[in-house]
Amino acid sequence: MIARLMLYSIAAGALMALAAAAGDWLSSWLRIARRGVWLGSMLLVAALTVAMPWRATTTESANRATAATFATSSTSADAGTARWRRLVSALVDRGGASIDRAETAARWLWAVASLTSLIIYAGGDRAIARRRREWRAATIKGVPVLVAPDIGPAVIGIWSTDIVVPEWALSFAPERVDLLLQHEQAHVAARDSMLVHLSRLVLVLFPWQPVLWWMDSRLRTAIEIDCDARVLTAGASGDAGAPARTKAYGDLLLAVAAHPRHRTFPLAPALLERQSSLARRIAAMQAITLSAIGIRVVIVTVATSALVVAALT
């Protein structure tokens, strides 16, 4: 049962991942937040996985009822099907031991993987708390922060959050420091730390699900892209000032990425988590052309709906 549940979850998750990718494209064209697409898809895959045993039980009960009805209406076929029943029974008995071994392995895989993921999650949270005691409190441009030797820029905490600024970022030009602080403040205002921790808890529950790990990676990038958009939108002074602010913000990302002491924690939303996402984030800042966007929106919406329906059935 567990092995079948895992296979079902991966198959349904693959369909949901395709739907989420299409939803992400649609969100980029419409200039709306993307992180909800990925987090919602992760939670839906988790819900489908949890509900799978109940759905399987319902389907099995329906199949048994159908079989009973067929048996009562075809008594003349009993003699002819008895031989096939004995053959099927023999095959089931022969494969029973293999199925039991697969189920046992699946149970152990799930338990060990979840325990390992929980230990890593708790260890990361504890490492942040331990490091936090070593950082000094400061106020930069009226914003309370924690100054760390080589961690950040990032936001730590869940309910109560703190902005962490690395010592080397204080040497940036005042305009860059302003943008850096605005980015982290936008994370705090949107409670992005809670989304990161919620995503990690889903991975602790289903660590064997590769699709969820990929979705988590895309969620982290979507959180940063959404934060970039909020910072650029909040500070742009009309169409004339938007290109200059976008360029300055892109230069900030490049400066952080190029710094040799740039480090982050996996449980903390950061100005720049992975350099691999840098090109995608910079591309998302560019002005979008509206040519043919209407037909694209229709096509992607239909495709996304079809994939979601396929995953739910």
Side-chain angles (χ1 to χ4, degrees):
M1 184 64 178
I2 298 297
R4 199 172 93 185
L5 182 148
M6 289 180 172
L7 292 175
Y8 167 80
S9 176
I10 293 173
L15 292 174
M16 284 303 307
L18 292 174
D24 186 85
W25 292 331
L26 182 62
S27 299
S28 69
W29 294 335
L30 298 179
R31 293 299 190 184
I32 59 178
R34 307 183 184 193
R35 62 193 187 281
V37 172
W38 293 105
L39 182 61
S41 298
M42 290 185 69
L43 295 177
L44 185 55
V45 171
L48 287 173
T49 304
V50 171
M52 186 267 183
W54 175 81
R55 296 179 63 186
T57 301
T58 303
T59 303
E60 185 177 353
S61 299
N63 290 339
R64 286 179 179 175
T66 303
T69 302
F70 179 77
T72 56
S73 62
S74 57
T75 55
S76 61
D78 285 346
T81 58
R83 181 176 56 185
W84 292 105
R85 289 177 181 174
R86 287 194 297 271
L87 177 61
V88 171
S89 179
L91 292 175
V92 170
D93 291 340
R94 183 176 298 179
S98 299
I99 294 174
D100 290 341
R101 285 195 296 270
E103 282 296 309
T104 301
R107 292 176 186 274
W108 275 104
L109 172 64
W110 194 335
V112 172
S114 287
L115 180 60
T116 302
S117 299
L118 180 60
I119 292 173
I120 294 174
Y121 173 80
D125 195 51
R126 186 173 181 180
I128 292 177
R130 185 174 62 252
R131 291 284 191 91
R132 188 186 185 284
R133 292 192 291 268
E134 303 171 357
W135 301 334
R136 64 181 176 88
T139 301
I140 303 176
K141 296 182 178 295
V143 180
V145 302
L146 297 174
V147 180
D150 57 356
I151 298 295
V155 174
I156 61 172
I158 304 178
W159 305 109
S160 177
T161 56
D162 293 293
I163 296 174
V164 181
V165 177
E167 192 81 42
W168 48 263
L170 301 181
S171 62
F172 284 171
E175 296 78 10
R176 284 189 178 179
V177 175
D178 282 339
L179 288 174
L180 185 152
L181 293 175
Q182 289 173 31
H183 180 95
E184 303 308 332
Q185 286 179 301
H187 273 314
V188 173
R191 297 190 175 275
D192 286 334
S193 291
M194 296 181 66
L195 303 185
V196 172
H197 281 270
L198 179 58
S199 174
R200 288 293 168 168
L201 288 176
V202 172
L203 294 179
V204 167
L205 294 176
F206 307 99
W208 43 264
Q209 170 54 287
V211 178
L212 288 178
W213 285 94
W214 181 75
M215 285 183 171
D216 174 75
S217 175
R218 295 301 300 267
L219 170 64
R220 300 297 291 267
T221 301
I223 287 174
E224 295 306 322
I225 289 177
D226 290 348
C227 191
D228 294 341
R230 291 195 299 272
V231 173
L232 293 175
T233 302
S237 55
D239 295 338
R245 184 174 177 82
T246 299
K247 183 182 183 305
Y249 192 78
D251 289 342
L252 169 64
L253 295 181
L254 292 173
V256 172
H259 202 281
R261 297 180 64 191
H262 170 242
R263 293 181 56 198
T264 60
F265 277 116
L267 294 178
L271 177 64
L272 182 65
E273 276 191 0
R274 299 182 303 275
Q275 294 189 10
S276 59
S277 66
L278 183 58
R280 188 180 297 121
R281 290 175 62 181
I282 292 178
M285 299 178 200
Q286 306 307 312
I288 190 170
T289 58
L290 298 179
S291 59
I293 191 173
I295 187 64
R296 291 180 183 180
V297 168
V298 172
I299 292 174
V300 172
T301 302
V302 172
T304 303
S305 303
L307 288 169
V308 172
V309 170
L312 294 176
T313 55

